[in-house]
Amino acid sequence: MKRYKRKKVSLRTKLLGYFLVFGTIILVILWVFQSFFLKPLYTMSMTLKVDKCASKIVKSIQYSKNVWATIDNAASDNALSVYLYRVGGGRPQKERECSYENPAVRLYIENSDILRYYENTVDNGGKMSFTESNNAEDIGKMRREIFNSYVASADSVNAQIHQLNAGENESLVYTYIIERNDGRRTFLVITSSITPLNTTIDVIRNQLLLVSVVFILLSVVFSVYASRRIAKPIANTNSASKQLAKKNYKVEFNAKGYREVEELNDTLNYAKTELAATEKLQQELIANISHDLRTPLTMITGYGEVMRDLPGENNAENIQIIIDEATRLSTLVNDLLDLSKLQSGALQAEKKEFCLTDSVSGILERYSKLVEQDGFNISFDSSEDIYVNADELRISQVIYNLVNNAVNHAGADKTVIITQKLFDRRVRIEVTDHGEGIPADKLPYIWERYYKVDKEHKRGVIGSGLGLSIVKSILDAHNARYGVRSTYGKGSTFWFELAVINVKRKRN
C-alpha cells in the first residue's frame, strides 16, 4: 500500500489556530458564566451582605446599644426591611416592637407566617436564612404602597415599579432569636429583595452578543497580525538557512523580532563564517596534499624510468631515492589516516606507565643523519627521568611531529631545543626553534583543522604537513594542556603538559 506523507503545517498557520482557539475559549467561558453562574453568584453576594448587616443588628440588640441607629443605618444603606417581635409565652406576640420597612423589598407577613418562621428558627438552633417568593397579590400591594406612601423621586418610583414588573419577586429572609442582657427574647426578621435578573440577563446577553462579534473580528485581525509577526523572522531565518545549505556563504542572517531569533541568527552567522573558512582551508589542504602526493610519485616514476632506460643508472643511490620518496608517500598517507581516526574518535588512547625522558631521547636519535649531513643543532635539556601514564606510541607521535615542525621552520642557525621541565607534579615538554615565528593574529588558528600559516606550499624537510592537527587530536584525547608562544621574526615554542607518576634521578 502506498503511504502518503503528511503535509506539515507552517508555524504561522499553527499560531493563527492557537490564537483563534484561545479567543473562542474566552467567549465560551463568558457565555457559560452569564448563562449558569450569574444568578447563583448574585444570590450568594446578597446573602453575604444581609448576613453582615444582621450580625451588626444582632449585636446592638443583645447589648442594647444604639439599636435604632444601627437598624436605620443598616436598613437604609442596604435597602432592607427589618422587623422586631417581642417573644412572650414561647411565641412572638402580634405587635411589633419596631420596624423599618422598604416598600420595594417588604415581605407581607401574616401572623401565621411569623409563627411558622419562629418555630422553624427554634428548630434550626435560633438562626435561619431562606428565600420567599411574593405572590401576585403581594406585588400589587407593593405597587400601591410605592405610589401612595413611599416618598421618593419619580425616577426612583419608576425604577421600583420596573423591578416589580420584571418577574417573580423573591425575598431573602433572615431570622434570629436574640437573648438580651435583661433576659428578654426578641425575634428578628430581616428581608431583602433579590432583584429579578431576567431583564438584566437579557440586556447582558444582547451586550455580550455584540461584544462577541467585535471580539471575534478583533481576534481574527490580531491573530493574523501576531502570527505573521512571530513567524516572519523564523521564516526568513529558514530561507537563509536553505541558502547556506547550498554553500552560499554570502547569505546574511539578520532577521529581527525577539531575542531567541536574534541569538539563533548570531549563531548561524558564526557557523556560516566557520563553514566558509573550513571550506577554503579544505580546498587548500587538498591542493597541498595533491602536491605532496604528486612530488614523490613523480620522482619514483622518473627515477624508475631512468633505471630502466639508461644503462648504469640502476645503482644504490637511485634506489635509495625511490625508497625515500616511497617512505615520504607512506608517511603522508599514514598521517591522513591517523588524523581521520583521531578526530572521529575511532582511535582510543591505550595508557600505561612509561619514561617520557627516554621516549624523547629515542626520538631524537632519528635525527642523527640530519644533524650530521645538514648541520642541524638539536639538543635535549633534562635533569630527571620522568614517568607518566599515557599512550606511549601517541605521545611519541606528538613529540616527533613537534620536532619535525621545528626542523621545518628552523632559522638560519638550524637550532632546535627540546626542554623538559618539572613543576607541581606535572611535566612540560617544550620544543623551540629560531625561525620566522607566527604572527599574533594567526596564533589562535594554528591548531585548527586544515589551517596552514604559510599559504605558499613548500615541501618540508621531514613530515607531511599535518603534524599540528595530529598533535592537537592526541593531546585532546589525553585531556592534556598545550599551547604555543611565538614572536614574529624570532621563533616559536610549542609545549604540552602531562601528569607525573614518578621521578627518578638522571642516569649517568
Side-chain angles (χ1 to χ4, degrees):
M1 180 182 294
K2 185 177 180 180
R3 298 180 63 182
Y4 293 92
K5 187 176 181 180
R6 184 178 178 182
K7 188 176 180 180
K8 295 183 179 179
V9 181
S10 67
L11 175 62
R12 181 179 175 182
T13 303
K14 283 190 175 182
L15 289 174
L16 178 61
Y18 292 151
F19 283 128
L20 292 178
V21 169
F22 178 71
T24 302
I25 291 174
I26 293 178
L27 285 178
V28 170
I29 291 174
L30 289 175
W31 278 97
V32 169
F33 176 83
Q34 184 268 339
S35 301
F36 299 101
F37 298 106
L38 184 59
K39 186 173 181 179
L41 288 174
Y42 171 74
T43 303
M44 182 178 67
S45 176
M46 291 298 298
T47 301
L48 293 174
K49 182 180 73 172
V50 174
D51 185 70
K52 184 178 180 179
C53 293
S55 298
K56 293 181 180 179
I57 295 173
V58 168
K59 288 182 180 180
S60 67
I61 294 174
Q62 284 177 334
Y63 299 103
S64 299
K65 292 183 179 180
N66 302 321
V67 176
W68 315 126
T70 302
I71 291 175
D72 288 344
N73 292 334
S76 60
D77 292 344
N78 297 280
L80 305 177
S81 289
V82 182
Y83 307 92
L84 292 179
Y85 293 87
R86 293 191 184 96
V87 178
R91 57 185 296 173
Q93 294 183 4
K94 182 177 181 179
E95 67 275 8
R96 277 173 268 179
E97 185 178 80
C98 81
S99 65
Y100 184 98
E101 292 184 325
N102 187 332
V105 297
R106 85 176 275 186
L107 182 67
Y108 284 85
I109 305 174
E110 303 295 336
N111 290 335
S112 58
D113 295 327
I114 291 297
L115 180 60
R116 175 168 55 86
Y117 293 166
Y118 178 75
E119 291 174 348
N120 291 337
T121 304
V122 172
D123 294 338
N124 200 52
K127 180 180 179 181
M128 187 172 63
S129 62
F130 55 92
T131 57
E132 191 87 355
S133 299
N134 290 307
N135 54 36
E137 182 180 353
D138 293 336
I139 294 176
K141 291 179 182 179
M142 289 181 186
R143 290 195 187 98
R144 290 193 295 274
E145 289 194 5
I146 291 172
F147 278 114
N148 298 330
S149 61
Y150 187 75
V151 180
S153 65
D155 291 340
S156 178
V157 169
N158 291 333
Q160 295 179 37
I161 296 299
H162 177 74
Q163 177 178 316
L164 293 175
N165 294 334
E168 185 181 27
N169 188 277
E170 288 186 333
S171 294
L172 178 64
V173 182
Y174 182 95
T175 62
Y176 202 104
I177 299 174
I178 306 171
E179 298 286 346
R180 294 190 174 191
N181 289 339
D182 56 8
R184 291 183 299 162
R185 303 179 72 190
T186 298
F187 183 50
L188 172 66
V189 179
I190 300 176
T191 65
S192 176
S193 175
I194 300 178
T195 304
L197 296 179
N198 294 335
T199 302
T200 304
I201 291 175
D202 289 340
V203 173
I204 294 176
R205 183 178 289 113
N206 292 334
Q207 290 182 343
L208 187 58
L209 182 61
L210 179 61
V211 169
S212 298
V213 173
V214 175
F215 182 80
I216 290 174
L217 293 176
L218 290 177
S219 296
V220 172
V221 173
F222 174 77
S223 299
V224 172
Y225 171 77
S227 61
R228 181 178 180 182
R229 182 70 180 270
I230 294 174
K232 186 176 180 180
I234 299 177
N236 291 341
T237 302
N238 181 50
S239 177
S241 299
K242 292 179 180 178
Q243 294 298 317
L244 179 61
K246 297 177 181 178
K247 296 186 177 182
N248 179 11
Y249 299 120
K250 295 182 179 180
V251 66
E252 290 294 332
F253 294 90
N254 52 11
K256 305 294 182 181
Y258 36 94
R259 186 184 66 186
E260 288 78 3
V261 170
E262 293 180 3
E263 290 178 353
L264 175 61
N265 285 321
D266 291 341
T267 302
L268 289 173
N269 279 323
Y270 176 77
K272 175 199 71 176
T273 303
E274 293 299 311
L275 287 172
T278 300
E279 179 83 8
K280 182 178 180 181
L281 294 173
Q282 187 175 14
Q283 292 174 357
E284 292 176 356
L285 177 73
I286 292 174
N288 291 339
I289 291 177
S290 298
H291 184 280
D292 283 337
L293 289 173
R294 187 186 302 113
T295 300
L297 287 173
T298 300
M299 294 190 68
I300 291 172
T301 303
Y303 275 89
E305 291 176 349
V306 168
M307 292 171 62
R308 181 196 62 187
D309 298 335
L310 298 178
E313 291 297 328
N314 190 2
N315 53 49
E317 183 179 354
N318 289 342
I319 293 175
Q320 185 62 47
I321 291 175
I322 293 175
I323 293 174
D324 290 342
E325 294 302 325
T327 301
R328 186 183 300 278
L329 184 61
S330 176
T331 300
L332 176 61
V333 173
N334 288 335
D335 283 350
L336 286 171
L337 291 175
D338 286 345
L339 181 61
S340 177
K341 290 178 181 180
L342 287 167
Q343 293 183 340
S344 66
L347 205 59
Q348 300 296 325
E350 298 180 0
K351 296 182 180 181
K352 65 177 182 178
E353 183 178 342
F354 69 95
C355 181
L356 180 62
T357 309
D358 288 346
S359 182
V360 175
S361 299
I363 291 171
L364 295 184
E365 292 178 0
R366 306 180 190 178
Y367 295 88
S368 57
K369 183 178 180 181
L370 193 65
V371 170
E372 295 173 0
Q373 295 182 355
D374 296 338
F376 276 86
N377 179 23
I378 302 176
S379 63
F380 178 37
D381 181 13
S382 64
S383 57
E384 303 94 3
D385 287 334
I386 297 177
Y387 291 79
V388 297
N389 185 31
D391 188 323
E392 184 175 5
L393 178 61
R394 297 304 164 192
I395 295 300
S396 298
Q397 192 173 4
V398 168
I399 299 168
Y400 183 74
N401 286 343
L402 291 180
V403 173
N404 274 353
N405 184 71
V407 168
N408 290 338
H409 297 90
D413 60 359
K414 295 185 177 181
T415 298
V416 175
I417 302 171
I418 300 94
T419 306
Q420 175 182 281
K421 297 180 180 180
L422 180 64
F423 59 95
D424 296 334
R425 300 301 299 175
R426 299 188 67 83
V427 60
R428 172 179 288 195
I429 301 295
E430 296 183 349
V431 180
T432 303
D433 65 73
H434 299 155
E436 295 180 359
I438 304 169
D441 59 329
K442 296 181 180 179
L443 282 175
Y445 306 104
I446 60 172
W447 306 100
E448 295 298 327
R449 189 178 183 184
Y450 309 130
Y451 192 80
K452 193 175 189 297
V453 176
D454 186 4
K455 301 303 179 182
E456 293 182 4
H457 180 75
K458 295 186 296 185
R459 185 168 175 235
V461 179
I462 301 176
S464 63
L466 300 175
L468 293 181
S469 296
I470 294 174
V471 167
K472 178 181 184 299
S473 299
I474 293 175
L475 294 178
D476 283 341
H478 283 78
N479 295 318
R481 295 180 56 200
Y482 56 91
V484 59
R485 303 188 306 271
S486 184
T487 302
Y488 190 60
K490 294 184 178 180
S492 305
T493 298
F494 287 82
W495 60 268
F496 68 92
E497 294 179 357
L498 294 173
V500 174
I501 300 298
N502 192 13
V503 179
K504 294 182 179 180
R505 180 176 295 181
K506 189 72 173 178
R507 295 189 299 268
N508 293 328

